[in-house]
Amino acid sequence: MSVSVAKFSLDWAELRANRDLQYVLKLSFRSLWFLQCRTSPPEKMSAFDVIEYYYSDIKDLTLLEEANTKFLIIMDSFDCYQAPLDWENVPVINDNYTKAHIDVLIVNILRGNVLRGARLWILGRRAAVSQIPSQFIDVSTELQGFSNEMKDEYLTKRFSNTELAENIKSHYKRVPMLHILARHPFVCWIVATMFSRSFCYEGYGRYPPRLTPFLIHFLIIQTNRRLKFYYNQKDNELKWSDREKKLLTKMGKMAFMMLERNTSVFFEAHVKEVDLELKEVVVWSGLCTELCPTVIPGKRTFGFSHFTIQEFMAALYVFLMFYLESKNVLESTSSFTLRYNNKSAAGLVQCALARTCNSSSGRYDMFLRYLCGLLSPACHYNLLRGFLCRHNTPKVAGLDEVERLLEQAIENAPSSSCQSLKECLREMLQSDE
């Protein structure tokens, strides 16, 4: 969305498009939120006060009130305005000079009572923007992401080294799941960033990439972006607090409950069930989205950005309960004859295998693969340490038993399940053979 705004503004400034507009003003909701929090109690300002605050070089604001003046106000990052807006009871303001609290100004700008001649372009995540009453919206547009051709074009232009670009393009496509996820431009950027570093190692690229490390990097990057974007932390100040750990753990719990119910959809009640707020899950986490059209008419429905992210988060929750709290949340429904202690890594995987083998739909296949991947020291000890795990947390013990368990499961599995179990073993060993 930021790129869309920048491209629009540049084309207008260079007279390539929208030449009928005399002014283009950007009033970011993020900036408005900081303005709201600048003083305590919040200072009252008029619409022109706000514009003058950010655009002090605009002297003659009366031009914006002339009948023939055509101007656009771009209000991006709607999800960054953290206070609720009262669409029903906010007092009406009919001019640009009346001072009011920022939230009152925002509602009146969107109602069309203030800055009446302006065209408004509002940007934000679907879950946030959907809070605006439909009568205030003329047109709604959703960014759909990259086509396959655009992915290749992006990766080609991203690197001056043509050979590296070709290696990365062919490498990530070897995992169909990564090829699907890369339709999101942000994921495509992660593909470029991660694999450009990986190809610095001699011999890298012979085998397909592993999924678990990729999704751990995705989780870390999204959470760090959340801290910078919504909490204004600097790059050299980024530090995960208990707030981030609790959020991700509880989101993982919700993902696991969804997996158990065999659904990819959740409602606000499910968010409250794990003691979270809707906005922090579907807007600020960067992991979920609002679904449209809704599954139940008139009821807001949500889901993880992709089903495999839900599967990964479910596995992350089960792993964290085992690793940090010595709990096996899978043991209650295991139908296998127990060969291993339920509190051991082998016992955990044994219970996960029971779910996988007893599910005819295969809905636990990727869950098991991610769980095995998280057991690998390369993932939990090297990647998660310092984020979701303390630096002094030891490595998971007993992985040799897990390896034997998976090898025996592969030997006894039907041909339809054999390849999936082999992938689970590869994820745990983080090997390619």
Side-chain angles (χ1 to χ4, degrees):
M1 289 185 290
S2 299
V3 173
S4 299
V5 171
K7 180 66 165 63
F8 178 94
S9 302
L10 182 64
D11 287 346
W12 171 77
E14 296 183 346
L15 303 179
R16 289 199 296 262
N18 299 295
R19 298 178 66 175
D20 60 319
L21 294 174
Q22 294 167 266
Y23 298 95
V24 173
L25 306 175
K26 183 179 176 183
L27 292 180
S28 167
F29 281 100
R30 187 175 188 223
S31 300
L32 292 172
W33 174 246
F34 290 144
L35 202 58
Q36 166 87 335
C37 301
R38 188 179 51 154
T39 61
S40 182
E43 179 184 358
K44 290 185 177 182
M45 302 178 73
S46 70
F48 278 175
D49 288 338
V50 173
I51 293 176
E52 277 191 328
Y53 181 83
Y54 287 110
Y55 298 97
S56 57
D57 53 334
I58 298 180
K59 302 298 182 183
D60 193 5
L61 290 175
T62 57
L63 288 172
L64 299 183
E65 295 189 299
E66 294 181 1
N68 296 326
T69 302
K70 294 182 178 179
F71 64 104
L72 171 71
I73 296 179
I74 301 175
M75 304 180 73
D76 69 338
S77 305
F78 185 76
D79 40 296
C80 285
Y81 198 80
Q82 299 181 26
L85 297 173
D86 186 349
W87 301 99
E88 300 294 331
N89 302 312
V90 162
V92 175
I93 299 175
N94 290 315
D95 64 74
N96 298 323
Y97 300 95
T98 300
K99 295 182 183 293
H101 293 302
I102 298 298
D103 53 352
V104 175
L105 284 179
I106 289 173
V107 172
N108 278 278
I109 290 173
L110 269 59
R111 282 174 175 172
N113 299 328
V114 174
L115 300 172
R116 292 185 181 181
R119 304 175 190 178
L120 297 181
W121 184 17
I122 301 166
L123 297 98
R125 296 181 188 274
R126 184 207 294 274
V129 175
S130 63
Q131 300 171 33
I132 303 173
S134 58
Q135 63 265 32
F136 302 141
I137 299 176
D138 295 319
V139 179
S140 177
T141 305
E142 181 180 6
L143 299 178
Q144 293 288 348
F146 284 162
S147 63
N148 288 337
E149 294 75 17
M150 292 168 74
K151 297 174 198 173
D152 286 350
E153 181 184 4
Y154 169 79
L155 291 171
T156 299
K157 292 181 176 180
R158 179 78 166 73
F159 302 102
S160 57
N161 186 331
T162 305
E163 182 180 358
L164 176 61
E166 291 301 319
N167 285 338
I168 293 174
K169 283 193 291 186
S170 60
H171 187 56
Y172 90 96
K173 290 178 183 178
R174 298 168 76 181
V175 180
M177 193 64 68
L178 287 185
H179 196 206
I180 294 169
L181 286 172
R183 75 177 183 84
H184 299 284
F186 175 66
V187 177
C188 212
W189 174 80
I190 296 178
V191 165
T193 303
M194 280 186 58
F195 294 141
S196 62
R197 296 170 183 168
S198 299
F199 272 102
C200 292
Y201 300 105
E202 186 177 352
Y204 182 82
R206 181 180 176 188
Y207 298 103
R210 304 259 63 88
L211 273 172
T212 310
F214 184 88
L215 285 171
I216 291 175
H217 278 99
F218 175 81
L219 184 70
I220 292 172
I221 290 172
Q222 284 292 66
T223 303
N224 284 340
R225 283 165 58 91
R226 171 179 176 268
L227 292 173
K228 288 192 288 186
F229 197 66
Y230 296 114
Y231 296 97
N232 206 31
Q233 291 190 16
K234 308 300 181 184
D235 283 326
N236 58 351
E237 298 173 350
L238 291 175
K239 184 177 181 181
W240 289 26
S241 65
D242 288 341
R243 177 184 59 203
E244 281 66 55
K245 297 171 186 177
K246 288 178 181 177
L247 172 64
L248 295 176
T249 302
K250 290 179 178 181
M251 287 185 67
K253 181 178 181 179
M254 185 177 71
F256 178 65
M257 293 163 63
M258 292 166 63
L259 190 63
E260 294 276 82
R261 294 194 301 264
N262 196 19
T263 181
S264 59
V265 172
F266 64 89
F267 304 99
E268 185 171 3
H270 298 133
V271 176
K272 291 181 177 178
E273 192 176 347
V274 293
D275 195 28
L276 290 175
E277 295 294 328
L278 184 66
K279 195 167 187 177
E280 63 182 336
V281 171
V282 300
V283 179
W284 297 339
S285 73
L287 302 175
C288 298
T289 187
E290 184 164 5
L291 304 179
C292 187
T294 60
V295 176
I296 301 177
K299 189 171 184 179
R300 297 177 71 191
T301 55
F302 311 92
F304 284 84
S305 300
H306 191 275
F307 186 61
T308 202
I309 296 175
Q310 176 186 324
E311 295 168 312
F312 171 75
M313 291 300 293
L316 180 66
Y317 165 71
V318 172
F319 172 76
L320 290 176
M321 290 297 100
F322 166 77
Y323 187 44
L324 302 180
E325 300 188 22
S326 300
K327 294 180 181 178
N328 182 349
V329 299
L330 304 176
E331 63 181 332
S332 60
T333 60
S334 175
S335 61
F336 277 9
T337 301
L338 298 179
R339 297 172 49 204
Y340 299 97
N341 182 343
N342 268 333
K343 297 298 189 289
S344 68
L348 179 71
V349 173
Q350 179 179 243
C351 294
L353 275 169
R355 274 175 164 73
T356 306
C357 295
N358 290 335
S359 172
S360 58
S361 63
R363 75 174 189 266
Y364 288 100
D365 288 0
M366 291 302 298
F367 165 81
L368 177 62
R369 187 182 303 186
Y370 292 135
L371 183 61
C372 291
L374 288 163
L375 288 171
S376 167
C379 291
H380 72 261
Y381 193 72
N382 293 342
L383 296 181
L384 287 179
R385 194 167 53 140
F387 293 102
L388 290 175
C389 312
R390 292 190 181 93
H391 283 285
N392 59 355
T393 309
K395 298 178 182 178
V396 172
L399 294 187
D400 52 342
E401 287 185 331
V402 179
E403 185 175 351
R404 287 195 294 270
L405 173 62
L406 289 171
E407 288 173 346
Q408 291 169 4
I410 292 169
E411 290 177 6
N412 299 324
S415 56
S416 58
S417 304
C418 190
Q419 185 59 38
S420 178
L421 291 173
K422 287 181 179 178
E423 286 297 327
C424 293
L425 183 59
R426 292 189 186 106
E427 286 287 338
M428 191 193 78
L429 299 176
Q430 288 297 298
S431 69
D432 302 305
E433 299 181 359

